[in-house]
Amino acid sequence: SAPAAAGVRQRTEPKMAGTEEPVLFDIGALHIAENAEGWGPTAQATKYDNLPYAPFSRSERVGKASDFTSQGFKYDRRYGDRAPTTSVFNFHADQEEDSFHLVDSRPVRGSGGFRGRRPWQNRAHQRRDTGTADVGRDQGAGAERERQRRQRTQQKRQSQWSNNMWHDRRNQQSHSASVEIRPEWTVLEQIDLPALTKLNFTLKEEPENLYECGALCQYDKTLDRATPRIEKPLRRFASRSFFKVTTSEDPIIQKLAEEDKAQVFATDSILSTLMCVTRSAYPWDIVIQRVGNKLYFDKRNDEFDLLTVSETAQESLVDDKESNSPNTVQALGQEATVINQNFSQQALLEKAPKHEFKERDPFVTQGVDAAPVAYRYRRWVLDEDTSLVVRCQLDAVGQNRGQEALMTVKALNEYDSKMTGVDWRQKIENQRGAVMATELKNNAMKLAKWTAEANMAGADLMKIGFISRVHTKDNYNHVILATQGYKPKDFAAQINLAMNN
């Protein structure tokens, strides 16, 4: 047959009887680029410009050409730094649509926590606790001792669990209100206690002493030499009278109110309670009486004057008035109050010359053995229209660097070292700072009140005695272990008590 035309390929097949003509296929003109100067393409193909390219050598392991599932890190972690980096082939979405969600096909792993015992583990645990695991083994004395040891261990664990639950119930104990809230009362305002810590009031003038009365005895310095090795018994002054007169019944305050010396009247114990209310944990209440343009802050009953013990401790005390335990809230409060009264009198030198003020004690009557104290009626000017008069109390007078110093005398008491956390007899001589830090944690309200009262009275020194029971269960006999003196302003800064608040 004749040759085919250019660009046309002819397929010939043997002709047979009854067949048609040959079929011709048109594949177009062929173009071959010839590189006369070497081997390879003569020019760059433009249709491959936007495709990524990752260079590699023959010694490198080639991974996937394209990874749309972001699982290539498994290959890299397997081969380390020898694995090639093919990040150019990874899929990256510049703008994800809201309807796009990444689906993780990996199996969900467990949390790794406690999954409980298997059935065979439960049976083995039961056999071990009941002692049946030793069946078929040696039943001699050694096996019997082992079973008894396991029983004691199990009983100990159950006892610890019961004690922990009991402590949790104690910490969750709530105290009853000091006054019954009647439904017909109208709530005028509720004050958030944390908000009170942000208040600040600066006085423009120093307080003025309007009236000073009473007499002060000299402080007995021999108490400062008391140590746990040289204990001093705490004497009782059962026949001595201590007066805690409320504001409206004070004759001096009534006289000052008639002379219109101020518009607000209070005592140091009532005002200090209001100043330190953010640290209190036990309920209390006061009565405010308005007479004309005068306000009187009064206490409702004598329970207001009882001191608190471990009020701010982590573990709450038993609040049961019918209990006979000496470590209830009521019993410890009465014990602490009596200890303070006895210590304030034992710390005085009654035969030494007294520091007499101009006026006599307004509460002492003839034939009454009254505690020698002094009162200062001090006035603070709050603004142009309001003044405050407070009756402040001083307990003793002493010498500080050759000068006469007015002081207040207070006492901290230890009732059970296991409950307070620190044994005073072992720590108070060499680690008095640790003892005081524990008391600041357990009795923050009481110490703050004492500090505020000393600052309001203008005392130069605050003397604190550390009193402990002779025996843990004996709340009647006590001993003096040590004493410590503090300057009220310095101690207020130490316990973070701001007088301007």
Side-chain angles (χ1 to χ4, degrees):
S1 60
V8 178
R9 182 180 179 183
Q10 181 181 15
R11 184 180 65 178
T12 59
E13 296 180 359
K15 295 181 180 181
M16 299 180 64
T19 61
E20 299 179 354
E21 294 294 331
V23 179
L24 299 179
F25 298 96
D26 186 6
I27 60 176
L30 297 177
H31 175 71
I32 299 176
E34 181 180 2
N35 190 353
E37 298 179 355
W39 180 87
T42 56
Q44 184 177 0
T46 57
K47 63 180 180 178
Y48 301 111
D49 291 343
N50 297 326
L51 295 180
Y53 171 74
F56 62 93
S57 62
R58 296 180 59 184
S59 61
E60 295 177 346
R61 292 181 175 86
V62 181
K64 301 178 181 179
S66 180
D67 189 0
F68 293 98
T69 60
S70 299
Q71 300 295 326
F73 68 93
K74 295 182 179 180
Y75 186 92
D76 298 340
R77 185 172 56 188
R78 178 180 178 183
Y79 292 99
D81 297 336
R82 298 178 299 172
T85 303
T86 57
S87 60
V88 295
F89 293 118
N90 293 339
F91 173 75
H92 300 282
D94 296 335
Q95 296 180 353
E96 296 182 355
E97 299 179 358
D98 295 337
S99 60
F100 176 78
H101 298 282
L102 179 63
V103 178
D104 191 358
S105 59
R106 291 176 296 178
V108 180
R109 297 182 179 180
S111 59
F114 178 74
R115 301 180 181 179
R117 294 189 182 95
R118 270 63 172 180
W120 59 87
Q121 291 177 336
N122 289 331
R123 290 192 294 269
H125 182 74
Q126 184 178 6
R127 288 195 303 270
R128 185 176 67 249
D129 292 341
T130 57
T132 56
D134 295 329
V135 176
R137 299 183 183 180
D138 184 15
Q139 299 295 323
E144 181 65 24
R145 287 195 299 269
E146 181 64 18
R147 284 193 295 270
Q148 293 178 359
R149 186 189 66 82
R150 291 173 180 173
Q151 291 178 359
R152 289 194 300 269
T153 303
Q154 185 178 5
Q155 293 175 358
K156 184 178 179 181
R157 290 177 180 175
Q158 293 178 353
S159 176
Q160 291 177 352
W161 181 83
S162 301
N163 291 335
N164 292 336
M165 293 295 295
W166 180 73
H167 284 298
D168 292 341
R169 289 194 296 269
R170 287 187 59 190
N171 295 335
Q172 298 175 359
Q173 183 178 3
S174 59
H175 303 280
S176 58
S178 60
V179 61
E180 182 181 357
I181 307 299
R182 298 180 182 177
E184 62 270 15
W185 289 359
T186 303
V187 178
L188 299 180
E189 185 177 359
Q190 292 184 356
I191 302 175
D192 190 15
L193 293 183
L196 297 178
T197 59
K198 302 178 181 179
L199 300 179
N200 189 10
F201 183 80
T202 303
L203 295 172
K204 298 180 180 179
E205 301 178 2
E206 292 295 326
E208 177 186 1
N209 294 327
L210 298 180
Y211 203 88
E212 293 180 335
C213 57
L216 294 176
C217 295
Q218 296 289 330
Y219 174 75
D220 188 2
K221 293 184 178 180
T222 59
L223 294 180
D224 296 339
R225 296 194 291 267
T227 62
R229 293 176 294 180
I230 312 175
E231 299 177 350
K232 291 193 174 184
L234 182 66
R235 302 201 310 266
R236 292 185 293 271
F237 297 82
S239 61
R240 189 152 294 182
S241 300
F242 299 86
F243 299 97
K244 299 292 183 181
V245 182
T246 188
T247 307
S248 59
E249 298 177 0
D250 190 328
I252 305 301
I253 289 182
Q254 293 175 1
K255 179 182 178 180
L256 295 175
E258 293 176 358
E259 297 175 357
D260 199 16
K261 295 294 185 180
Q263 291 73 38
V264 184
F265 301 90
T267 63
D268 54 353
S269 61
I270 295 176
L271 190 59
S272 62
T273 304
L274 289 173
M275 295 172 62
C276 307
V277 62
T278 56
R279 304 172 187 241
S280 64
Y282 292 162
W284 52 267
D285 66 283
I286 59 175
V287 179
I288 303 176
Q289 300 184 25
R290 175 183 289 273
V291 180
N293 64 338
K294 304 294 190 299
L295 290 178
Y296 298 90
F297 287 77
D298 288 319
K299 60 182 180 180
R300 186 178 299 275
N301 47 43
D302 292 337
E303 292 184 359
F304 184 86
D305 297 319
L306 291 179
L307 298 178
T308 61
V309 178
S310 298
E311 179 178 0
T312 56
Q314 185 176 3
E315 295 185 2
S316 301
L317 297 175
V318 178
D319 189 4
D320 187 4
K321 297 182 180 181
E322 299 180 357
S323 177
N324 295 326
S325 174
N327 295 335
T328 61
V329 174
Q330 291 75 19
L332 288 175
Q334 295 176 359
E335 180 185 358
T337 304
V338 173
I339 287 175
N340 267 265
Q341 293 175 352
N342 294 334
F343 179 74
S344 66
Q345 300 307 301
Q346 187 172 346
L348 303 179
L349 295 173
E350 297 184 4
K351 296 182 180 180
K354 296 182 180 180
H355 180 85
E356 300 282 349
F357 287 95
K358 294 181 180 181
E359 304 294 336
R360 57 182 294 272
D361 193 331
F363 310 117
V364 176
T365 59
Q366 188 176 3
V368 176
D369 184 15
V373 295
Y375 299 102
R376 273 182 170 179
Y377 294 83
R378 314 190 80 189
R379 178 173 63 182
W380 283 266
V381 178
L382 304 181
D383 53 36
E384 297 179 356
D385 301 327
T386 307
S387 298
L388 169 66
V389 169
V390 181
R391 185 190 71 205
C392 306
Q393 179 177 328
L394 296 169
D395 300 317
V397 63
Q399 297 293 327
N400 185 17
R401 297 181 180 179
Q403 296 182 357
E404 193 175 60
L406 302 177
M407 64 177 63
T408 60
V409 181
K410 306 296 181 182
L412 293 169
N413 62 299
E414 179 192 34
Y415 59 97
D416 191 350
S417 60
K418 295 181 180 180
M419 299 184 67
T420 57
V422 177
D423 190 351
W424 286 9
R425 285 177 169 81
Q426 296 181 1
K427 302 290 185 180
I428 199 169
E429 191 171 5
N430 299 324
Q431 300 180 8
R432 189 166 300 181
V435 174
M436 199 62 192
T438 305
E439 289 302 307
L440 287 172
K441 181 183 65 175
N442 297 338
N443 299 283
M445 176 64 174
K446 181 167 62 176
L447 287 170
K449 286 181 59 177
W450 290 348
T451 308
E453 293 174 2
N455 278 283
M456 285 189 293
D460 303 311
L461 194 64
M462 181 174 61
K463 204 66 135 177
I464 297 179
F466 296 87
I467 316 298
S468 179
R469 293 178 179 177
V470 175
H471 190 271
T472 304
K473 297 182 179 180
D474 184 7
N475 62 341
Y476 189 72
N477 298 306
H478 303 83
V479 292
I480 304 174
L481 300 180
T483 60
Q484 183 71 33
Y486 299 94
K487 293 183 178 180
K489 292 183 179 179
D490 297 341
F491 192 72
Q494 181 180 348
I495 66 176
N496 196 22
L497 177 65
M499 297 300 295
N500 293 336
N501 180 242

